[in-house]
Amino acid sequence: TTHTTATTRPAHCPSSILIAMASTSLCRRIAATCTRTATLPRRSLASSSSRLPFSSAASQETSSSPYVSGPTTHFGYESVSINEKEGRVRQVFENVANDYDVMNDFMSAGLHRYWKDELLRMTGVGPMSKALRRRASMKYASDLNNNNDDDDTIDDSKALLSILDVAGGTGDVAFRFVDAANCEERSKSSGKDEVNVTVCDINPEMLRVGESRARKRYGSELFDETCALKFVEGNAQCLPFEDNSFDLYTIAFGLRNVTDVDMALRDALRVLKPGGRFLCLEFSHVQNVPLAQLYDIYSFHVIPKLGEVVANDRDSYQYLVESIRKFCTQDELVTRMNTAGFEGVKYTNMTQGIVAVHEGWKPL
């Protein structure tokens, strides 16, 4: 069964609870309750309304209406024009680009690192890369033994796994893929890597920070020699890539900042190869009511204050908190993915629904 929890309005509480919420040890205990996976059939939410804690009318409106309709949309709790939102979101991330990991630590009390590790595990990039590299090396050795100089045959071992990480400007998720696929070790050999990771982000400042971090961490070989990693500026709604280009598409904590989520989902499907997989890690809606109350207290009373004290930027952090509450519920996003054309759509709640991973496949 699937459940959708209505947002609980923030309430005041003793400072001891706020301190407890910020405590890493408490957060890790909460994280131990980790995952629940749910699948929503390809039908409207209204048909399941008897099992959902909101009215049938609301379900019908949610499932049938486009993410953006009319000349305005939301920027946090504020209503803005569609054209204005993209620029304002861009400004938020320009403001936090140099402290993006610190920002994520504030937003999640440090748990974002655990969630991203879980995302990596769910993709299977590590074992898949190992198997593909073994196949490539065996094929190459076989070609050499047979004195096969056909370039097409040898090139068949190249780019066996193409990964696109959207809204991943600073490289936090992409670096996990690079490490899991052992791309740094592979860069010591000649030729292009069989695994390549492309980071795409709309914000050039985030990309600048990400590429700088990557070159310091890995050197230039991954960029210039093996082409295992690259950073590309682009909009998730109209990606600068050809159709059927990638085996895996990930987006972590970025989909809720896109102006038109439906358009972004359709373009994700377009750039995936047939049989390609989509995974979205995003803040979502907490299923447990007491935890939802504590989470709202932490979000609305602690995070903006931390942003003001540490980064001198309360407004950006206030927007990020509000954007979570305005984003789709778990079941609504499943419906939108189904509508976009994905198959086998399901989601996995982590930490009682503070975040969820949605996944789906492009039809063959």
Side-chain angles (χ1 to χ4, degrees):
T1 353
T2 57
H3 303 279
T4 303
T5 304
T7 302
T8 307
R9 296 180 62 186
H12 296 286
C13 76
S15 59
S16 59
I17 296 180
L18 297 180
I19 293 170
M21 273 299 291
S23 153
T24 302
S25 60
L26 176 63
C27 289
R28 293 200 180 279
R29 287 200 299 273
I30 294 171
T33 64
C34 181
T35 60
R36 176 183 69 84
T37 301
T39 304
L40 187 67
R42 191 181 285 270
R43 56 195 172 98
S44 73
L45 290 175
S47 62
S48 304
S49 61
S50 62
R51 294 183 283 112
L52 299 175
F54 46 73
S55 70
S56 174
S59 299
Q60 290 172 349
E61 181 180 0
T62 299
S63 62
S64 61
S65 60
Y67 195 82
V68 172
S69 59
T72 62
T73 186
H74 57 82
F75 177 79
Y77 289 158
E78 185 180 352
S79 180
V80 299
S81 71
I82 292 173
N83 293 332
E84 183 183 357
K85 179 172 180 177
E86 186 175 302
R88 293 186 66 173
V89 170
R90 183 191 301 266
Q91 186 61 53
V92 166
F93 285 93
E94 284 179 359
N95 293 345
V96 302
N98 289 316
D99 300 306
Y100 185 67
D101 288 339
V102 176
M103 179 200 75
N104 281 331
D105 283 330
F106 288 164
M107 297 292 291
S108 68
L111 281 171
H112 74 99
R113 302 173 192 276
Y114 161 78
W115 295 328
K116 290 170 182 173
D117 288 343
E118 281 297 299
L119 176 67
L120 169 65
R121 184 191 62 78
M122 291 173 72
T123 65
V125 164
M128 189 162 37
S129 299
K130 187 175 181 179
L132 290 173
R133 290 193 192 286
R134 185 182 299 115
R135 171 185 172 243
S137 61
M138 292 173 64
K139 184 74 166 66
Y140 188 76
S142 174
D143 290 340
L144 290 179
N145 289 336
N146 294 328
N147 295 318
N148 192 339
D149 294 327
D150 186 346
D151 289 340
D152 291 336
T153 302
I154 293 180
D155 283 347
D156 182 58
S157 67
K158 308 304 179 185
L160 293 176
L161 178 61
S162 294
I163 303 169
L164 175 64
D165 183 42
V166 175
T170 59
D172 207 27
V173 172
F175 295 166
R176 283 170 165 79
F177 292 145
V178 168
D179 293 341
N182 208 17
C183 293
E184 185 176 16
E185 181 67 25
R186 171 62 178 78
S187 68
K188 298 173 183 177
S189 303
S190 61
K192 290 186 178 181
D193 200 330
E194 297 82 11
V195 178
N196 61 59
V197 181
T198 300
V199 180
C200 183
D201 200 290
I202 196 173
N203 194 304
E205 184 63 18
M206 295 281 283
L207 291 168
R208 180 194 64 78
V209 172
E211 184 166 347
S212 174
R213 288 178 60 197
R215 289 187 182 274
K216 288 178 182 177
R217 180 169 178 159
Y218 302 114
S220 298
E221 288 81 4
L222 265 66
F223 295 91
D224 305 330
E225 302 296 331
T226 61
C227 302
L229 180 61
K230 59 182 175 181
F231 289 77
V232 177
E233 184 176 346
N235 189 326
Q237 299 174 154
C238 48
L239 293 164
F241 307 110
E242 296 181 358
D243 297 358
N244 308 318
S245 295
F246 297 96
D247 301 287
L248 175 66
Y249 175 124
T250 60
I251 180 168
F253 306 120
L255 190 60
R256 76 182 192 280
N257 298 306
V258 174
T259 302
D260 191 335
V261 168
D262 295 333
M263 187 182 296
L265 291 173
R266 290 193 297 269
D267 217 47
L269 191 75
R270 178 186 67 80
V271 300
L272 278 170
K273 297 175 184 177
R277 191 179 181 199
F278 171 92
L279 289 103
C280 169
L281 169 64
E282 187 55 89
F283 286 108
S284 199
H285 295 261
V286 179
Q287 307 289 294
N288 180 282
V289 174
L291 179 60
Q293 293 173 333
L294 287 174
Y295 180 52
D296 278 343
I297 291 166
Y298 181 75
S299 297
F300 286 94
H301 294 276
V302 177
I303 291 174
K305 187 63 178 178
L306 285 173
E308 181 180 13
V309 171
V310 177
N312 195 29
D313 186 6
R314 182 187 184 94
D315 290 345
S316 292
Y317 289 85
Q318 184 71 34
Y319 157 74
L320 291 165
V321 168
E322 293 175 1
S323 68
I324 295 169
R325 302 320 190 274
K326 295 293 289 184
F327 190 58
C328 309
T329 64
Q330 287 92 323
D331 292 341
E332 181 189 348
L333 186 52
V334 168
T335 301
R336 294 190 181 281
M337 289 176 62
N338 279 328
T339 302
F342 287 99
E343 293 186 344
V345 178
K346 63 181 180 179
Y347 66 86
T348 303
N349 278 332
M350 290 192 276
T351 320
Q352 295 292 322
I354 290 179
V355 300
V357 176
H358 283 71
E359 58 182 296
W361 303 81
K362 181 171 180 175
L364 289 169

